[in-house]
Amino acid sequence: MSASISAFILTFSTLCGSRVVSGVLSPPTNVSLTSYNMNLVLRWDPPDQPASGLLYTTEYSSILGYNVGCVNISTLECDLTNLKDSISEYGKYTGRVRVQLGTESSAWVESNQIALDRDTVIGAPDVSLFSNGATIEASIKDPVFRISSLRDVYNLATYNITYWKDGQKKKNRSISNVQQNRVVLSDLDPWTTYCVQVQISTEKHPNPNPTHSVPSAVVCESTTIEEEAPWVAAVVTFVVMAMAVAVVVVAVVYRKRISHFLCPKDALPEHFKEYLLAHPNYLDMRNSHPPKEIFDPVSIIADGSILEEGLPLEAAGTSCSQQPDTT
């Protein structure tokens, strides 16, 4: 008899899925509250032996008590940041979730407690490189927070920059505690490819240990020829301007001579004039008018012969050229 009762209870428990013998739903498992770039997300796993059609309801607590989160959802996470009017970047929060099936509900399962400014995971910064001769300029952009901004929450945030020759990461060099978001790497070799990675470091009182962001993606850029010193360009500019001023002064002072040299008067040398005066035939030919042309009028008179109608020109010409027979 006892064996039959045990078999019935086991069968009933299997059919009911996540329900236990008492009829109460099994609660969700592995409930955790996480934060990435100042968001607030509650995650969990379904109950052991879950039944179909389960729904979940979440709540989160602050200093004012529990607030309603996501209600009757089927997914296994709830983004509480969507309720950002009630979320503060300096708040401490705990989440909880329960299972619902019809009119039945499981017990609440609470998560860990987190402080957003202390426990959030700071995402990787965005890094861009620009080559300028034998130097490389790194431009750094902070990650975007769901609530507030990086500089508003961590006013002592700095950058740790690591760079190395491509393929020689073990020989990397570092620059720490950089506050500017644009940094020039100047101690580089020309015509060489360098790779750069940046990580954000934050310090917040009273925690003396800094926290670090996710490292940025590795980006690489090549240097070119080493640029000349700035004073070289200044000297070259001064010399060019001095030469230009000297040319202008010379042009003003000797403008007449330069004008005569560039635009001489159109006059024949004296010995050419004497030669032409000694040979007047040239002057007569030069001053003579072209001769008057004489011509006689020419008239063309057509032949009086009449072409026979319908005959070709050759036949007509042949008949006209024949002489009458006098014999």
Side-chain angles (χ1 to χ4, degrees), residues 155-173:
N155 52 7
L156 298 179
T158 57
Y159 303 111
N160 296 332
I161 303 174
T162 305
Y163 61 99
W164 61 90
K165 291 182 180 180
D166 190 17
Q168 302 181 19
K169 189 173 183 179
K170 293 183 178 180
K171 299 181 180 180
N172 64 74
R173 288 174 280 181

Side-chain angles (χ1 to χ4, degrees), residues 89-108:
E89 58 268 30
Y90 303 109
K92 294 182 179 180
Y93 300 97
T94 302
R96 66 181 185 180
V97 59
R98 69 180 181 183
V99 178
Q100 294 182 198
L101 182 62
T103 58
E104 297 185 8
S105 300
S106 71
W108 290 101

Side-chain angles (χ1 to χ4, degrees), residues 178-189:
V178 177
Q179 296 182 349
Q180 297 81 9
N181 61 353
R182 300 182 75 91
V183 181
V184 176
L185 307 177
S186 57
D187 54 339
L188 308 179
D189 296 333

Side-chain angles (χ1 to χ4, degrees), residues 54-66:
L54 293 180
L55 298 177
Y56 303 93
T57 297
T58 65
E59 293 181 350
Y60 66 97
S61 68
S62 61
I63 58 175
L64 301 178
Y66 276 98

Side-chain angles (χ1 to χ4, degrees), residues 32-310:
S32 63
L33 190 61
T34 61
S35 177
Y36 183 85
N37 282 341
M38 282 292 166
N39 68 356
L40 190 63
V41 179
L42 184 65
R43 294 183 174 89
W44 60 90
D45 292 333
D48 297 332
Q49 299 179 352
S52 60
L54 293 180
L55 298 177
Y56 303 93
T57 297
T58 65
E59 293 181 350
Y60 66 97
S61 68
S62 61
I63 58 175
L64 301 178
Y66 276 98
N67 302 290
V68 177
C70 302
V71 179
N72 294 334
I73 61 174
S74 58
T75 58
L76 299 178
E77 68 175 40
C78 173
D79 189 353
L80 300 172
T81 323
N82 295 329
L83 309 172
K84 58 184 179 180
D85 293 338
S86 303
I87 304 296
S88 170
E89 58 268 30
Y90 303 109
K92 294 182 179 180
Y93 300 97
T94 302
R96 66 181 185 180
V97 59
R98 69 180 181 183
V99 178
Q100 294 182 198
L101 182 62
T103 58
E104 297 185 8
S105 300
S106 71
W108 290 101
V109 179
E110 289 192 351
S111 70
N112 55 302
Q113 184 186 68
I114 66 171
L116 279 184
D117 59 337
R118 181 194 64 197
D119 300 321
T120 190
V121 177
I122 302 175
D126 182 59
V127 181
S128 301
L129 300 181
F130 306 94
S131 177
N132 184 16
T135 64
I136 293 178
E137 180 179 347
S139 177
I140 308 170
K141 185 178 180 181
D142 294 334
V144 178
F145 279 4
R146 290 286 301 275
I147 300 175
S148 189
S149 66
L150 176 73
R151 297 294 165 177
D152 290 338
V153 180
Y154 308 102
N155 52 7
L156 298 179
T158 57
Y159 303 111
N160 296 332
I161 303 174
T162 305
Y163 61 99
W164 61 90
K165 291 182 180 180
D166 190 17
Q168 302 181 19
K169 189 173 183 179
K170 293 183 178 180
K171 299 181 180 180
N172 64 74
R173 288 174 280 181
S174 299
I175 305 176
S176 301
N177 300 324
V178 177
Q179 296 182 349
Q180 297 81 9
N181 61 353
R182 300 182 75 91
V183 181
V184 176
L185 307 177
S186 57
D187 54 339
L188 308 179
D189 296 333
W191 303 110
T192 306
T193 300
Y194 285 86
C195 298
V196 179
Q197 189 174 44
V198 180
Q199 192 173 29
I200 300 173
S201 177
T202 62
E203 294 183 6
K204 193 169 182 63
H205 184 78
N207 183 13
N209 299 321
T211 58
H212 300 284
S213 71
V214 176
S216 71
V218 177
V219 289
C220 301
E221 185 59 78
S222 298
T223 58
T224 56
I225 191 170
E226 186 173 1
E227 289 187 339
E228 296 179 346
W231 62 268
V232 175
V235 171
V236 172
T237 303
F238 175 78
V239 171
V240 171
M241 293 182 63
M243 293 179 62
V245 172
V247 170
V248 172
V249 171
V250 170
V252 172
V253 174
Y254 299 98
R255 62 183 182 278
K256 291 185 178 180
R257 294 184 181 181
I258 295 174
S259 176
H260 292 164
F261 175 77
L262 297 178
C263 302
K265 293 182 178 180
D266 189 9
L268 292 175
E270 291 297 330
H271 62 280
F272 277 4
K273 292 181 180 180
E274 294 176 358
Y275 175 80
L276 294 177
L277 292 175
H279 298 78
N281 293 334
Y282 170 78
L283 296 178
D284 294 341
M285 181 178 63
R286 179 181 178 183
N287 297 327
S288 63
H289 298 285
K292 184 178 181 181
E293 296 182 359
I294 301 174
F295 59 89
D296 295 326
V298 177
S299 300
I300 299 175
I301 301 174
D303 190 0
S305 301
I306 300 174
L307 298 178
E308 295 182 9
E309 184 177 359

